[in-house]
Amino acid sequence: MNDRKIVVIGNGMVGHHFVETLVGLGTGDHITVIGEEPRPAYDRVHLSEVFCGREPAELALATRDTYREWGVQAVFGDPVTRIERAAKTVVTASGRRFDYHKLVMATGSYPFVPPVSGADHERCLVYRTIDDLGRIKAAAKDSRTGVVVGGGLLGLECANALRNLDLETHVVEFAPGLMGVQLDEGGSRMLRRKIEALGVRVHTSKNTREIVDGSGAALAMNFADEAVLDTDMIVFSAGIRPRDQLARESELAVGERGGIVIDYKCKTSDSDIFAIGECALFGGRIYGLVAPGYRMAEVVANQLAGEPAQFQGADMSTKLKLLGVDVGSIGDAHARIEGSISYVFSDERAEVYKRIVTSGDGKTLLGAVLVGDCEDYDTLLQYFLNGIELPAEPESLIVPAAGDKPLLGAAALPMSATVCSCHNVTKGGIVEALDSGCCSLGEVKAETRASTGCGGCAAMLKNLVEDELSARGVTVDKSICEHFPHTRQELYHLARVGELKTFDDMLAKHGRGRGCDICKPAVASIMASLWNEHVLEMPHVGLQDTNDTFLANMQKDGTYSVVPRIAGGEITPDKLIVLGEVAKKYGLYTKITGGQRIDLFGARQHELPDIWRELVAAGFETGHAYGKALRTVKSCVGSTWCRYGVQDSVGMAIYIENRYKGLRAPHKIKSAVSGCTRECAEAQSKDFGVIATENGWNLYVCGNGGMKPRHADLFATDLDDETLIRYIDRFLMFYIRTADRLQRTSVWMDNLEGGLDYLREVVIEDSLGICSELEQQMASVVGTYQCEWNTTINDPEKLKRFRQFVNADGGDPEVVFVQERGQNRPARPEEKIRLVARVASAAGAK
Amino acid sequence: MNVVEKLVWQGVCLRADLVANSGVCALVAGEQVAIFYLPETEQQVFALGNRDPVGRANVMSRGIVGDLQGQLVVASPLYKEHYNLLTGQCLEDARVCLPVYPVRMDGDQVQVQAGN
């Protein structure tokens, strides 16, 4: 550490990004960050998602621990009230003082509330912080109608929030159109049409004169044109204003209409003080988006690390989903540039509006507006940002009927082209990642973080990576092995469509050679998923990995472990006793698993049928711990016993486990059900997890523990039992259909183009029209379930392979155990030599 | 005079004891022998030592059989090394090799040649 002290005022998204960047550069400064809100930085952009089930905590960008680990001193809930520039000290509300060598102001902005009489009513709120959300939620409880003042980007976000709170929602806008900054008149009109169809009432050209107590509702808004609107609550979201009060009091230069004046180095009029984000005024302009704020933060951090860096303004192009409507705006959306010409496409039936603005010669893209369909956004943005010459007929870029659109090949992009704007990854950065050894889309994503933010660039990135790889002569060979020139997904499809039921059929039709230990188990698993025949039926038996062959898990000494199913982790005392007795009789080492089951180790191959006869007689079924299949559904005790539980989590876990037991899949599948939001069953670390809510169940998908832990994503909220099961049916079958061999659900989803949103479209909205097929297929697997052990112990043919020796009784004499902590464990090689020798000499002495 | 150990063909089991395209283990003169049955090959039966020299356990008969680059192989069920069914040679490590036993079908009987 050096002695330089950096103080950051403000812990919003930009302030946090600055700290993160500076820490990452390893300058060794003493960093202090002081925030006004009582909590560390969080994602304000996705604030409205809290109204559709996302927990506020999930928006967090950092925790107190994050800062502790970074060695950053963090102060929350104690805003800076004074800067003593001469002494180079800041003072907080509670009187704490912090010295600085360099000061960074990231004080952000505040919501603009028009000076209207009555706007200070307690039912008039703003929309900016997590605490604001709490107030909006509270007011919505006894409201029927809600008004948002402001029809811009933030206002419409807020309208979405009110709609999610089940309020009759109105948007009141002073200007003649919605989103006047980003959209032209035509785009604005189409947007209005679309959101009105969603039930949101839009009032434009409305100047609010006063807000008074209402008669039919809590409030009444009186407009300048004499119109009146009754409402129970009002949220102001009519733009932002920079928070520059502190700067004014400290006599730093501020703009005429607010904002701390900065130069291209983000320096204020005091060269030891920087300002970044929405409080800063650069070139007479406030940048009210998060990306330019991040760039400013990086510019300052780099300078502090001794690197030259400049802020050069930022492109304000934007693509977003407002109230479910796709909206995109690029560059000069209003065609204000002199001599520009426009091409407009409008389809009122499909409710799509597109406009591109080009230079007079039609060669350069100057701007664009997209409403209702943003598919062309990425391509248009690349034309715009990189000045790439447009095709001879520019309208072909937006007109759908014009046949195949000329695709902007990734090869046409210059190295400086930004592909992922969330993480500021350029084409050059991606090429570099490939040069340094990345060989696949997944690896490039992991290395560069490209396409891991909003995901908007996924298609562009995929094209670029594939182009670059093939340019390097790398054929992306996705064959499963030398016997099949197909991926697992393709094999699944071929088997399903061709109704192929054995490995030999598959090999004869689609493969060559005899198969191997890669393709045989993979095809066996596909057969099991599709046709659900017993894995030890004659045509399948030689295909299985040893664990599936012996319906148990091989351990290092060649013995097996046995895991009976204990659905939901619920077991009677009598059954527990049986497990104990069986373990004792066969000398098995016992251990409790993480999935709330009991694992019995050290079973010899020839003992497995005897062990299972006893277990089956006591009512146990196989637990499929040996298969790439559903393993266990963990649960907490839920509302039955727990003081906090809100649903019967054990009952649901047992139901789910019994429904999907035996389901063969590309990899193992784990699940859990928690009875309340305390999440004691750790459902968010599972392939699919269920968490009880007051109103039903929240479904999480694609999490896992293990080598690369990943939290599951919230997929759907407040589901009733039936819908929950339907979604899980579809989700699992879609996974089985499309995942790669040995691909867990998380990696599978990361590789799906469109990720979580796409998965929602397929499973919830049935965008591919396959849901009924997926459900039927699941119903067929569920309906043909058999306990593999129960069937096996009753079939002499299947028991053949359980003999250790085809020509002698007994077991492998070289399997030797020693005692440790009162139980058996495999003897180590040196112990074994001693023990086997002793046995042999004892036998010889006879 | 050198005593040449006399090798004899020993009946080990019947065809019905084998599992097609898979393996079983037999005890032949005190040694564990893995016998693989590939009915569609000319030789039909193959015999290798049952001990996995890498995993150090007697498990080779429980491996998956198949072919790689034209060689008939069995994969160890422990760590998945492949061994040539005809030569016992490990494909992944030239220093590792399994013992090979002469084996044949005599009618329905499986016979292995081993020390008497």
Side-chain angles (χ1 to χ4, degrees):
Chain A
M1 278 235 170
N2 61 34
D3 291 332
R4 189 166 64 166
K5 292 187 175 124
I6 312 275
V7 172
V8 186
I9 306 178
N11 190 227
M13 297 178 78
V14 170
H16 171 73
H17 188 75
F18 168 75
V19 174
E20 187 177 23
T21 311
L22 190 61
V23 168
L25 290 169
T27 54
D29 294 308
H30 284 274
I31 305 171
T32 303
V33 53
I34 306 170
E36 177 182 39
E37 288 186 64
R39 58 184 69 77
Y42 54 90
D43 180 354
R44 248 185 260 279
V45 176
H46 295 100
L47 213 49
S48 74
E49 291 177 14
V50 169
F51 291 112
C52 39
R54 208 161 156 192
E55 291 292 323
E58 290 176 49
L59 296 173
L61 297 172
T63 63
R64 287 161 195 269
D65 286 339
T66 318
Y67 289 122
R68 213 165 292 141
E69 277 164 33
W70 290 350
V72 170
Q73 181 182 18
V75 177
F76 302 115
D78 189 13
V80 171
T81 49
R82 197 164 76 238
I83 304 171
E84 295 176 0
R85 282 169 56 196
K88 289 198 165 189
T89 301
V90 300
V91 186
T92 70
S94 73
R96 283 196 273 183
R97 304 174 70 87
F98 298 92
D99 296 340
Y100 67 83
H101 293 100
K102 299 284 176 190
L103 180 65
V104 178
M105 302 186 69
T107 47
S109 61
Y110 64 91
F112 168 65
V113 177
V116 173
S117 133
D120 52 356
H121 191 281
E122 60 172 13
R123 300 192 76 87
C124 293
L125 306 166
V126 293
Y127 175 75
R128 174 79 183 160
T129 65
I130 285 186
D131 290 338
D132 292 336
L133 294 188
R135 287 187 270 270
I136 291 172
K137 252 184 178 165
K141 277 208 174 110
D142 52 1
S143 296
R144 201 182 56 79
T145 313
V147 168
V148 176
V149 175
L153 199 153
L154 273 173
L156 296 180
E157 269 282 312
C158 182
N160 194 32
L162 294 192
R163 223 167 64 91
N164 282 321
L165 290 168
D166 287 330
L167 297 186
E168 182 191 309
T169 305
H170 297 257
V171 173
V172 171
E173 168 59 47
F174 179 78
L178 296 174
M179 286 188 73
V181 178
Q182 292 87 359
L183 302 183
D184 66 338
E185 203 196 323
S188 177
R189 211 168 34 233
M190 188 64 84
L191 177 64
R192 175 177 187 154
R193 188 184 164 120
K194 289 180 83 87
I195 69 174
E196 281 183 332
L198 295 168
V200 175
R201 306 271 301 278
V202 179
H203 314 266
T204 49
S205 304
K206 282 280 182 278
N207 183 4
T208 311
R209 214 182 54 222
E210 56 177 2
I211 298 165
V212 296
D213 286 337
S215 48
L219 302 170
M221 301 175 76
N222 293 328
F223 299 114
D225 61 1
E226 305 292 314
V228 178
L229 179 59
D230 283 341
T231 181
D232 296 313
M233 60 184 288
I234 298 171
V235 183
F236 286 101
S237 193
I240 55 162
R241 294 291 181 269
R243 292 188 63 181
D244 55 12
Q245 192 59 29
L246 202 53
R248 282 173 198 274
E249 289 165 7
S250 313
E251 296 179 336
L252 295 172
V254 294
E256 214 170 286
R257 300 177 55 208
I260 308 167
V261 174
I262 57 168
D263 65 5
Y264 61 91
K265 288 180 163 172
C266 299
K267 276 196 176 130
T268 65
S269 53
D270 178 332
S271 65
D272 288 322
I273 303 180
F274 297 90
I276 56 179
E278 292 177 345
C279 65
L281 185 72
F282 175 81
R285 184 168 186 185
I286 299 282
Y287 287 87
L289 290 177
V290 70
Y294 279 1
R295 295 299 90 75
M296 293 182 199
E298 288 154 14
V299 164
V300 176
N302 278 307
Q303 287 178 71
L304 293 178
E307 302 283 329
Q310 293 185 0
F311 182 72
Q312 295 169 323
D315 174 53
M316 297 294 276
S317 299
T318 182
K319 172 172 80 164
L320 62 163
K321 229 184 180 66
L322 285 171
L323 292 140
V325 179
D326 286 309
V327 176
S329 168
I330 294 174
D332 181 17
H334 298 92
R336 291 194 179 117
I337 295 172
E338 213 171 308
S340 62
I341 55 172
S342 293
Y343 298 82
V344 179
F345 169 78
S346 176
D347 176 347
E348 296 197 337
R349 193 160 57 98
E351 298 189 327
V352 171
Y353 176 89
K354 302 176 185 183
R355 171 185 190 171
I356 51 174
V357 180
T358 73
S359 54
D361 58 7
K363 285 188 173 162
T364 315
L365 189 69
L366 301 175
V369 174
L370 301 167
V371 176
D373 177 3
C374 271
E375 202 187 312
D376 304 323
Y377 180 86
D378 288 345
T379 304
L380 293 173
L381 185 64
Q382 293 299 338
Y383 275 111
F384 171 71
L385 289 179
N386 301 300
I388 299 165
E389 188 171 323
L390 291 167
E393 293 160 336
E395 68 274 21
S396 61
L397 290 171
I398 54 169
V399 180
D404 288 341
K405 273 178 209 169
L407 273 179
L408 177 61
L413 296 178
M415 284 298 172
S416 60
T418 300
V419 176
C420 169
S421 48
C422 295
H423 292 289
N424 202 22
V425 184
T426 60
K427 176 177 171 182
I430 287 155
V431 169
E432 206 173 290
L434 291 165
D435 284 338
S436 69
C438 291
C439 293
S440 69
L441 184 60
E443 286 171 25
V444 169
K445 279 167 83 170
E447 175 73 24
T448 62
R449 296 177 76 195
S451 194
T452 59
C454 72
C457 60
M460 176 72 73
L461 180 68
K462 181 165 181 277
N463 278 338
L464 177 56
V465 169
E466 283 177 0
D467 260 36
E468 282 294 319
L469 282 177
S470 62
R472 285 147 204 261
V474 179
T475 329
V476 190
D477 184 4
K478 292 178 181 154
S479 301
I480 187 165
C481 67
E482 66 177 62
H483 302 100
F484 290 97
H486 298 288
T487 61
R488 180 198 171 272
Q489 300 91 305
E490 288 164 349
L491 288 176
Y492 182 97
H493 181 75
L494 292 169
R496 189 170 67 91
V497 174
E499 293 194 22
L500 303 176
K501 299 200 171 176
T502 66
F503 181 78
D504 287 346
D505 290 347
M506 285 293 282
L507 201 58
K509 277 214 124 133
H510 303 291
R512 56 173 176 259
R514 297 171 180 282
C516 65
D517 55 309
I518 303 292
C519 59
K520 281 183 170 181
V523 170
S525 161
I526 291 171
M527 296 295 158
S529 296
L530 278 174
W531 320 117
N532 210 21
E533 290 179 349
H534 197 292
V535 292
L536 301 187
E537 285 302 328
M538 204 40 231
H540 311 308
V541 65
L543 309 176
Q544 314 293 346
D545 273 320
T546 187
N547 287 357
D548 275 304
T549 308
F550 294 97
L551 307 173
N553 293 40
M554 184 185 268
Q555 302 301 325
K556 61 192 290 183
D557 61 346
T559 64
Y560 290 88
S561 76
V562 170
V563 189
R565 187 166 297 292
I566 300 177
E570 183 184 86
I571 185 164
T572 62
D574 281 339
K575 278 186 152 180
L576 262 181
I577 290 168
V578 170
L579 289 182
E581 282 171 345
V582 169
K584 220 168 173 176
K585 180 168 173 187
Y586 293 91
L588 306 176
Y589 168 88
T590 57
K591 191 169 189 310
I592 311 287
T593 72
Q596 302 184 334
R597 315 207 272 189
I598 296 172
D599 207 341
L600 313 170
F601 287 80
R604 294 166 171 86
Q605 180 183 347
H606 71 285
E607 293 171 335
L608 286 169
D610 293 336
I611 290 172
W612 271 104
R613 266 185 211 104
E614 298 194 23
L615 292 175
V616 167
F620 282 104
E621 290 186 321
T622 184
H624 293 98
Y626 46 81
K628 303 300 178 211
L630 178 88
R631 295 281 171 86
T632 146
V633 183
K634 191 173 170 178
S635 72
C636 67
V637 288
S639 57
T640 319
W641 288 93
C642 178
R643 283 175 291 148
Y644 303 110
V646 294
Q647 305 280 354
D648 176 13
S649 47
V650 179
M652 182 52 81
I654 292 174
Y655 179 81
I656 291 177
E657 183 155 344
N658 282 327
R659 181 170 181 80
Y660 303 116
K661 62 189 176 188
L663 176 70
R664 290 297 206 282
H667 209 312
K668 63 185 171 190
I669 303 171
K670 296 185 178 181
S671 179
V673 182
S674 277
C676 79
T677 175
R678 284 169 186 73
E679 242 286 66
C680 296
E682 299 171 329
Q684 289 168 94
S685 66
K686 306 297 181 192
D687 293 282
F688 66 97
V690 179
I691 301 178
T693 69
E694 300 276 350
N695 309 316
W697 308 98
N698 282 355
L699 175 61
Y700 289 77
V701 297
C702 302
N704 59 253
M707 188 163 63
K708 271 182 96 176
R710 181 190 193 283
H711 270 136
D713 288 314
L714 181 60
F715 186 71
T717 55
D718 289 337
L719 305 173
D720 57 36
D721 292 5
E722 203 183 313
T723 313
L724 173 71
I725 297 301
R726 201 161 59 230
Y727 286 177
I728 299 173
D729 275 6
R730 296 172 180 178
F731 166 75
L732 288 176
M733 265 304 160
F734 189 57
Y735 164 61
I736 289 169
R737 217 176 239 215
T738 58
D740 237 325
R741 174 183 164 270
L742 299 186
Q743 190 175 45
R744 288 291 292 268
T745 50
S746 59
V747 184
W748 166 65
M749 185 176 76
D750 288 344
N751 279 287
L752 281 180
E753 222 172 280
L756 184 66
D757 284 338
Y758 173 69
L759 199 54
R760 282 204 189 101
E761 283 165 20
V762 173
V763 170
I764 299 177
E765 293 159 27
D766 196 10
S767 60
L768 299 181
I770 55 171
C771 283
S772 72
E773 208 178 295
L774 296 176
E775 285 171 30
Q776 270 169 25
Q777 210 183 332
M778 184 61 84
S780 143
V781 170
V782 171
T784 52
Y785 168 80
Q786 52 183 318
C787 168
E788 285 161 354
W789 264 112
N790 190 11
T791 314
T792 301
I793 54 176
N794 292 313
D795 182 346
E797 189 59 33
K798 292 194 177 67
L799 287 175
K800 255 172 44 174
R801 286 199 81 194
F802 287 88
R803 286 179 293 181
Q804 172 71 31
F805 302 117
V806 74
N807 58 347
D809 290 334
D812 182 351
E814 287 176 45
V815 168
V816 188
F817 298 118
V818 296
Q819 290 275 304
E820 190 171 276
R821 293 185 294 275
Q823 297 204 68
N824 273 344
R825 70 154 168 83
R828 287 189 278 270
E830 69 277 10
E831 293 169 330
K832 208 184 225 175
I833 291 166
R834 223 168 43 231
L835 288 165
V836 173
R838 199 181 304 152
V839 171
S841 69
K846 266 185 199 164
Chain B
M1 189 178 111
N2 286 337
V3 179
V4 179
E5 202 179 3
K6 195 178 155 202
L7 293 175
V8 294
W9 286 105
Q10 281 190 23
V12 168
C13 62
L14 297 176
R15 190 190 294 270
D17 293 317
L18 302 176
V19 183
N21 295 309
S22 190
V24 296
C25 179
L27 210 49
V28 184
E31 286 171 48
Q32 296 192 23
V33 179
I35 301 173
F36 302 97
Y37 180 38
L38 281 68
E40 271 131 55
T41 61
E42 200 183 334
Q43 189 179 317
Q44 295 200 0
V45 279
F46 304 82
L48 300 175
N50 193 40
R51 182 174 170 78
D52 177 342
V54 178
R56 299 203 276 194
N58 298 314
V59 297
M60 289 311 302
S61 64
R62 295 176 244 166
I64 293 179
V65 295
D67 65 346
L68 282 182
Q69 312 287 324
Q71 303 181 55
L72 295 176
V73 294
V74 58
S76 158
L78 281 170
Y79 302 112
K80 319 297 177 194
E81 299 85 5
H82 298 90
Y83 297 90
N84 186 310
L85 284 183
L86 289 166
T87 65
Q89 179 60 52
C90 175
L91 272 56
E92 284 80 12
D93 187 343
R95 294 165 303 178
V96 179
C97 199
L98 296 180
V100 183
Y101 297 84
V103 58
R104 70 180 184 193
M105 294 298 306
D106 184 15
D108 265 349
Q109 198 182 49
V110 182
Q111 296 180 334
V112 174
Q113 210 175 47
N116 193 5

